[in-house]
Amino acid sequence: MVDQPNLEVILLRNQNKKQIIIEAASKVLAEKGYEKASIKDIAREAGITPGLVHYYFRNKEEILSELLLEASNQYTRDMQTLKQTVPVGRLSHVAIRETRDRVVKHPEWYKLRYELFAIGLRNSSMTEGVNRILENGRNGIAGILSSIFPEPEDLDVMAAILLACFDGLALQKLLHPELDLDKAYAVLEKWALSLQDAR
């Protein structure tokens, strides 16, 4: 009699395959862009059949959503690490610099993010995934703000405004590379510090 793998082993194998697909998609989408990349390209990069990709994901949009959700979760974890390792007096400076650096170091991530936003606006089945990504961003920012402001008021609103600033500046930098991102983030940091001093 052959031993059957237990449910935990099956789930782990499935999770590993899903992760392999996401990593392959990240590479393919960064190289080819969302429009030119295909499920076949992703499958080839992952070393699996296109049918197996479709077993885990209904379509390319769902892969993109999962990929960006994973990146968003990492951003939230990074913000938590900053919160735990950076002194409160320097936290706003470091957090704003980290966000600025992400635009410069990972412009392809932002390009994919905007692709997903556009898809979410056109396709209501993607709205929930886009909202989860935006919520993660707001939560990461709110976590930092809660450390800076001892008695936070309107924390969720402040986080939403900052997320809009970060996304908007990244979009402008992608479309207009001459934009002085350092200067824009310096002004944003002054604004954040003035709010901190006002409290």
Side-chain angles (χ1 to χ4, degrees), residues 11-137:
L11 289 173
L12 183 60
R13 284 183 190 153
N14 285 341
Q15 198 58 28
N16 287 342
K17 286 179 186 165
K18 199 171 184 179
Q19 187 60 38
I20 289 167
I21 294 167
I22 291 169
E23 288 170 11
S26 178
K27 185 174 181 185
V28 169
L29 292 169
E31 288 174 4
K32 293 189 169 198
Y34 178 78
E35 288 298 323
K36 292 182 182 175
S38 69
I39 294 287
K40 285 183 182 180
D41 295 329
I42 294 168
R44 190 177 311 112
E45 180 65 34
I48 59 176
T49 65
L52 192 55
V53 173
H54 283 293
Y55 175 79
Y56 290 99
F57 299 98
R58 288 178 298 182
N59 50 39
K60 193 167 62 167
E61 291 85 3
E62 197 172 271
I63 296 171
L64 178 62
S65 180
E66 186 73 25
L67 169 71
L68 290 173
L69 181 60
E70 188 173 293
S72 180
N73 288 336
Q74 183 60 52
Y75 174 78
T76 302
R77 288 190 296 272
D78 291 347
M79 290 298 106
Q80 286 298 320
T81 300
L82 283 181
K83 187 177 168 178
Q84 295 166 359
T85 58
V86 175
V88 172
R90 295 209 17 90
L91 191 54
S92 63
H93 172 75
V94 173
I96 286 175
R97 285 291 148 194
E98 285 284 323
T99 304
R100 178 239 171 249
D101 289 349
R102 191 175 194 181
V103 176
V104 174
K105 293 177 184 175
H106 303 289
E108 72 285 346
W109 181 85
Y110 278 98
K111 288 178 184 176
L112 294 175
R113 183 173 172 87
Y114 303 131
E115 289 279 358
L116 184 64
F117 289 173
I119 292 166
L121 289 170
R122 290 188 306 266
N123 181 345
S124 61
S125 70
M126 298 299 292
T127 303
E128 183 182 332
V130 174
N131 279 329
R132 280 195 325 232
I133 289 166
L134 292 170
E135 183 180 358
N136 276 358

